[in-house]
Amino acid sequence: MNLFITIRFLDVLDILLVAFLLYQLYMLIKGTIAFNIFIGLFLVYLFWLLVKALNMELLGSFMGQFIGVGVLALIVVFQQEIRRFLLLIGSNHQVNKLLGMEKLFSSDKYKSASSQQLKLVIKACENLARTKTGALIIFAQKSELKEFVRTGEKINARISDALIETIFFKNTPLHDGAAIVIGNRIVAARCIMPITENQKLDPKLGLRHRAAVGITEATDAIAVIVSEETGKISIAEGGELHLNVSVIDLSNMLEKVFLESNDDV
């Protein structure tokens, strides 16, 4: 009897890839309702194994039918998490650069925002914060957010601090919802954003902050929020919310994301 087990390099790679995928799955559903659903499905699966071990044929047959459509059920239940996982892969800058996907699928419809235009955005956020005027500005990156642009009023105007402040002025019909910025254009306003299901967020946070986290979970966009209650500026990126950032931090982050990424193209 051979007591030695041969472990190939591919076996180790297989284990590492599975571990990586499980970790990414955990990070995507952590703190969301989907995590509780996943635990529930896992407990149902363990119960089914117990039923099979005890040879309970009727209950085992019934649960077998349920388990049989498990993959389809998982796709339906976890569609947002699957979308976020695919987005994580598709929006990876290094992977796209390596495969040449950026040049293949890039759009030249919108020119990149200049340093001066980003300064106008920052100036507008600073003025909105000073007057405690609520605002939600979405900055698109690789995705043009077309499905979200359709939910609002199309503007397609050049970036201007005065225009941004006018959009979010309380008495204007456009102040509710989000303004979407693509490249050097304010494309639309009063756009409807998806609301996050992240249960770890502070319950005191309003719909603007939850919508900002929601859109950055579903896409590669960056969201800037100005609180109507406190006048504080916050940033959401990749489903993570950074509260009470300074104007300097806001400036550094936007310039790092947009100006440096434009230099790579």
Side-chain angles (χ1 to χ4, degrees):
M1 180 178 180
N2 186 7
L3 298 178
F4 296 98
I5 301 176
T6 304
I7 300 178
R8 302 176 303 162
F9 170 75
L10 289 179
D11 296 329
V12 176
L13 181 61
D14 187 23
I15 295 172
L16 291 176
L17 286 175
V18 171
F20 174 75
L21 290 175
L22 290 176
Y23 174 75
Q24 292 296 333
L25 175 64
Y26 169 73
M27 293 302 294
L28 285 174
I29 67 176
K30 180 181 67 172
T32 66
I33 296 176
F35 182 76
N36 297 330
I37 297 175
F38 179 79
I39 296 298
L41 291 173
F42 181 70
L43 292 176
V44 169
Y45 179 72
L46 291 180
F47 182 69
W48 177 62
L49 293 179
L50 178 62
V51 168
K52 287 187 64 178
L54 296 176
N55 291 323
M56 301 172 68
E57 295 184 3
L58 182 60
L59 185 58
S61 176
F62 174 76
M63 294 194 66
Q65 296 296 323
F66 177 79
I67 298 296
V69 295
V71 175
L72 182 60
L74 287 174
I75 294 176
V76 174
V77 172
F78 297 108
Q79 55 179 316
Q80 290 296 330
E81 284 68 29
I82 293 173
R83 176 174 177 167
R84 286 170 56 194
F85 178 72
L86 295 176
L87 177 67
L88 179 69
I89 298 174
S91 61
N92 188 289
H93 177 69
Q94 297 300 329
V95 173
N96 289 336
K97 190 174 181 180
L98 179 65
L99 299 178
M101 293 297 181
E102 288 185 344
K103 293 182 178 180
L104 182 61
F105 295 106
S106 61
S107 173
D108 297 327
K109 182 178 178 181
Y110 299 100
K111 294 182 179 180
S112 302
S114 65
S115 176
Q116 181 61 32
Q117 288 171 323
L118 289 181
K119 289 180 180 178
L120 293 177
V121 173
I122 295 162
K123 180 182 177 183
C125 291
E126 187 175 14
N127 291 336
L128 291 170
R130 186 183 301 110
T131 58
K132 291 187 177 181
T133 302
L136 175 57
I137 307 173
I138 310 301
F139 296 89
Q141 294 200 77
K142 300 302 178 186
S143 172
E144 293 184 2
L145 309 178
K146 291 182 178 179
E147 65 270 36
F148 301 105
V149 170
R150 295 192 195 100
T151 65
E153 297 292 334
K154 292 186 178 180
I155 296 176
N156 196 25
R158 294 185 67 84
I159 291 175
S160 162
D161 55 330
L163 178 56
I164 293 175
E165 292 177 45
T166 301
I167 288 173
F168 291 107
F169 183 67
K170 296 179 181 179
N171 293 331
T172 63
L174 298 178
H175 79 279
D176 282 331
I180 296 179
V181 176
I182 305 179
N184 64 345
R185 315 288 291 183
I186 302 174
V187 178
R190 207 179 68 178
C191 299
I192 300 173
M193 299 292 108
I195 305 300
T196 181
E197 296 180 354
N198 191 335
Q199 296 176 326
K200 289 189 175 183
L201 289 179
D202 189 340
K204 296 180 181 179
L205 293 175
L207 286 178
R208 280 195 182 90
H209 292 82
R210 297 181 181 278
V213 175
I215 188 64
T216 59
E217 286 176 340
T219 71
D220 62 345
I222 292 177
V224 175
I225 316 101
V226 179
S227 173
E228 188 173 353
E229 295 181 358
T230 65
K232 300 292 185 180
I233 300 174
S234 302
I235 300 175
E237 180 183 16
E240 298 290 333
L241 184 62
H242 308 280
L243 294 169
N244 304 335
V245 301
S246 66
V247 175
I248 296 176
D249 291 336
L250 173 64
S251 176
N252 291 337
M253 186 170 187
L254 291 181
E255 288 182 359
K256 180 180 179 181
V257 171
F258 293 101
L259 297 185
E260 290 185 7
S261 62
N262 293 338
D263 292 339
D264 293 336
V265 179

